Amino acid sequence: MIYINFIEYRWPMRKKLQIFISSTFADLVAERQVAVEAVLKAGHIPAGIGIEPFFLESPMETIRRWIDESDVYILILGGIYGTMLPDDSKSYTHWEYDYAGELGKPRFALVLTDEALRQKPYDFVIAADYQKFQEFKQSVIEDVSIFHIAEEWHVRWVIHEKLKEYKGKNDLDGWVSGKNIPDVQKLLEENASLLRENARLHAELKKTLPDTSQS
């Protein structure tokens, strides 16, 4: 039996992923900055880069939009629970993590080791928030891939390796520069030409095959 296959036209696309970086604010400035640099160095777009919610006019709406538009969610987890939502139900960091999960965004977490945490000024931790933080941390450990971070170079290495995994995923939308978008009209014309050629070959093949309708 002879098969004639359709030709699928493909073109290279330089796709940048938007990476939402989530963390508490004042205690993780250095780690967050390293994460931003690692995302940029990998050729992607960082978002949600640790802006204190109080500085945003409509924090939940703004953060929700950033996460909606992002392809991957990264959590940097230190030792505090963070700024609470207006209704005091959970922290902004916790809410961002949950919201990204509800959307089905790929998520992973960079969790500071105990040694790294001892270098942080955590004398002001409130007991009630500490309990919420421990519960949140446990849920993260159970739900997503985690990487223990002791030094800044660990942040760079993990992000570099993980983003290589996501780069080739076709189910991540990403962002494409206008100059890399192909000429759609030209592609349509080429596709129409291929379809005509395919129809011609089918017609020729049909003429060469024996007529079995009378047998």
Side-chain angles (χ1 to χ4, degrees):
M1 182 177 293
I2 300 175
Y3 293 93
I4 298 178
N5 295 322
F6 286 97
I7 299 175
E8 183 178 3
Y9 191 91
R10 295 181 181 270
W11 60 89
M13 300 290 279
R14 297 179 59 187
K15 182 167 63 174
K16 294 178 179 289
L17 300 178
Q18 181 164 307
I19 314 299
F20 188 90
I21 302 171
S22 177
S23 75
T24 47
F25 183 61
D27 60 318
L28 296 174
V29 172
E31 290 81 2
R32 190 169 55 250
Q33 182 60 36
V34 171
V36 169
E37 293 171 358
V39 170
L40 289 171
K41 187 173 182 179
H44 300 296
I45 306 167
I49 48 179
I51 297 177
E52 172 63 43
F54 289 143
F55 297 155
L56 300 174
E57 184 175 349
S58 302
M60 293 189 72
E61 289 77 5
T62 301
I63 295 169
R64 184 180 287 110
R65 184 176 70 253
W66 284 342
I67 297 177
D68 288 342
E69 295 175 349
S70 295
D71 300 287
V72 177
Y73 171 96
I74 299 176
L75 171 65
I76 305 177
L77 198 59
I80 59 175
Y81 195 49
T83 302
M84 299 295 289
L85 295 176
D87 63 2
D88 287 328
S89 60
K90 60 179 68 172
S91 69
Y92 275 93
T93 305
H94 191 167
W95 170 74
E96 291 166 1
Y97 173 84
D98 286 346
Y99 183 65
E102 292 170 8
L103 295 179
K105 303 288 183 179
R107 300 178 297 173
F108 66 93
L110 309 177
V111 180
L112 270 65
T113 63
D114 291 341
E115 180 180 353
L117 290 176
R118 282 193 286 271
Q119 308 303 316
K120 299 292 182 180
Y122 286 143
D123 297 337
F124 56 86
V125 174
I126 301 173
D129 289 347
Y130 179 77
Q131 180 60 37
K132 290 180 179 179
F133 170 77
Q134 291 300 323
E135 294 171 357
F136 173 44
K137 182 176 182 178
Q138 187 60 38
S139 69
V140 172
I141 292 173
E142 294 174 356
D143 291 344
V144 301
S145 297
I146 66 166
F147 301 87
H148 293 288
I149 304 300
E151 299 181 31
E152 291 181 0
W153 72 265
H154 294 157
V155 176
R156 294 189 184 90
W157 184 84
V158 170
I159 291 178
H160 178 266
E161 293 300 310
K162 289 298 292 183
L163 292 189
K164 285 197 300 185
E165 295 179 18
Y166 295 125
K167 186 176 181 180
K169 285 184 172 289
N170 294 326
D171 57 339
L172 299 180
D173 294 333
W175 299 88
V176 179
S177 171
K179 67 181 181 181
N180 292 323
I181 298 176
D183 186 335
V184 175
Q185 184 59 40
K186 182 179 179 181
L187 291 178
L188 291 174
E189 292 172 357
E190 291 180 359
N191 187 62
S193 176
L194 290 172
L195 289 173
R196 289 194 296 271
E197 178 66 10
N198 190 76
R200 184 185 68 78
L201 292 173
H202 270 294
E204 291 184 2
L205 177 62
K206 187 174 181 181
K207 292 179 182 177
T208 64
L209 295 176
D211 185 358
T212 59
S213 61
Q214 303 300 323
S215 58

